[in-house]
Each structure stands twice: as structure tokens, then as C-alpha cells.
Amino acid sequence: MRRILIVLLLAILLLPAPHKNKPQPFGSGPLLVRARALSLNAADPAQRDLGRLHYLGGWQLNSTHHGFGGISSLLAEADGQILALSDSGTLMGFHIGPGKAERRPFIAPLPIRPQDRDRPWWAWDSEAMTHDPATQRYWVGFELQQMICRYSPGFARVEACRTWPEIEAWPETGSIESLARLPDGRFLVLAEMGMTADGSHDTLLFAGDPAEATTAAPMHLRYVPPRGYRPTDAVALDDRHILVLNRRLTLQELFTATLAIVELPERPRPGDRLKARALARLAPPLLADNFEGLAVTQEGGRRVIWIASDDNHEFFQRTLLLKFALDWNAEE
């Protein structure tokens, strides 16, 4: 019975609705993050290999700042500089691992357009973030607002926002969960619970910037996750291959996650199925939690994967950050 109650509580917390533990609005300020190193498998600390992943390190993160946590998406740099975004519109910048931080750690709310200031603070359920390294612009997907916004370099201001009828057709509590920008300028948006008739997840492929008024209507594709899982984040490896982080909550194992890869057809057509190919699974006795954030960096010629968990600002959950080397190439 206790396990059933835990699962029910966690399922409720996954819904993007206001609850008592979402942090009230606050201003920008410094952030002190404490990191405790963790083994991938506490029962076997020597374990490093997991499917196509090799464990490089993991940490449980804590901070006394009441706004810290709730990480739903993240970006990373090879030197360990992390930019995380919570599900309540909060940016968190900090450094992890060896070496010295080149930028001061901070915590700050996302900027808001003047016309949006009357919207309730809890409605800014930011679940997805992506970045263009050439222009240094950022895009954020808001689940409850069912809107995508573009931000200037450094998140200095909001440049544009747009809602799409294709996204408004998804459930408010399961719409934009994953947003990936491909190197060629296309964008892929995956619905968490916007399902098609065959049980796959409605996926939108935009030919250009989804926040821009002149961008054409997207193409509908269908994402087929590992059985029983739902997508929580995605990141492009190149113009054809997308990594997708998937989550499941069950009575037996509580939270588990699967990292998978999909390949876009060379010439996509409406209704094309993007079938996930699992690369690794995080489940007990390995580190397992409510994993929602995914990022990719390059270090010494290899791809490095970062995975972060959302603690829902609850005392019984954890903010975890895991780092893996990825053993994969596009010829496979």
C-alpha cells in the first residue's frame, strides 16, 4: 500500500499544475550548489558500462536557495559549465567536476514580455530548452502555455513567442516536453501525451524557427518510444539523428529511464514513424530517478551525455546529474 501511495503522489507531481512546493517568484542572485559524488551502482561501485554508455561521473546536487531544483532541461559545456532550466521558469548556472568555474554561479527567473506579466507565476511551466551556438539564442517550450519563445543571447530578453494550433491540440498537462534544434536550423517538438491513433506520440518537424511568425506550419511525424515510456527531453546529434530521454513510473521500480536514438528520414513525409532504438536503461539498482534533462557535449573527440533529474521540489526526491561517454557513430 505504501508503494502504491508513493506512485500516486509522484504521478500527481508530474502534472504541470500549481502546488505548494513550486517556488514563489524571486529575483536574480548568486547560487551555491553542493555536489556529492555518486557511484552508478552502489552495490557494485566498479560498474562503469551501461549499454552504449560509459559512466564518467554522477552527483547529487543541493542548494540552500529555495528556487533550486525542478530541473526539466539543461545545456552543458565541455568544461562542466551547466545551464539548467526548472519547470517553474528558473535558470540556474553552475559548474560541476574538476577545474575552475569561468563564470559565477547564478539563479534567475526567465525574462517575461510586458503583455505576459499578468499571467500567474505557476503557469510558466518551462519543460524544454535548446540553443543555437552560432547566434547564442535560446528557445524554451512551455507546457501549460503551449507556447515556444525565443530569447536573445544571455537570456537578456524575449525576442518572440508563438503558439501553434498543432500544439494546442495536445493535452495541456502533456504537451511540449522535448524541443530539439537540428544543426541545419530545423526544430523537432515531441508531445509527452499527445498521442496518435496507433499509440505513438505526435511529433512536429519545423522547417525553421518555431517562435517566428513567418515560419510555415510543421509536418506531423510519429515518435514510437520504448514500450511503456514517454519522452521527457531530446537533443540532436546531427541533422538526422536525435537522442531522446524517456521516463516510466511503475509500482515495481518507481522511476526508470531509457536513452534512445531515432533517425529522421532523409526526406521526411507526414506520418513517418520515428522508432526509438534503446541505447541504455537506468533502473534500480543503478541510479534512477525522475530524469527529465538531456544535453550533449564534445570532449576529446567523443560525445558526452549529461542527464539530470527533476526533484519536483520534494524532500523525498533528488536532483541528480549524470555524465556518460556515448559509444555510437552515425554509420550504425
Side-chain angles (χ1 to χ4, degrees), residues 60 76 89 91 127 159 205 240 254 268 281:
Q60 181 173 345
L91 290 165
E127 292 286 349
E159 291 188 337
L205 179 62
R240 297 279 303 280
L254 297 180
R281 182 173 181 264

Side-chain angles (χ1 to χ4, degrees), residues 233-283:
D233 206 358
V235 64
L237 294 177
D238 53 38
D239 291 338
R240 297 279 303 280
H241 299 92
I242 313 294
L243 279 180
V244 184
L245 183 63
N246 304 269
R247 172 184 63 202
R248 185 171 68 176
L249 176 62
T250 65
L251 281 173
Q252 292 75 24
E253 297 179 301
L254 297 180
F255 282 116
T256 61
T258 297
L259 183 67
I261 193 166
V262 297
E263 182 175 3
L264 284 174
E266 186 175 358
R267 295 180 178 83
R269 295 178 297 177
D272 277 347
R273 290 166 60 88
L274 307 179
K275 186 172 176 56
R277 180 160 58 94
L279 300 178
R281 182 173 181 264
L282 287 161

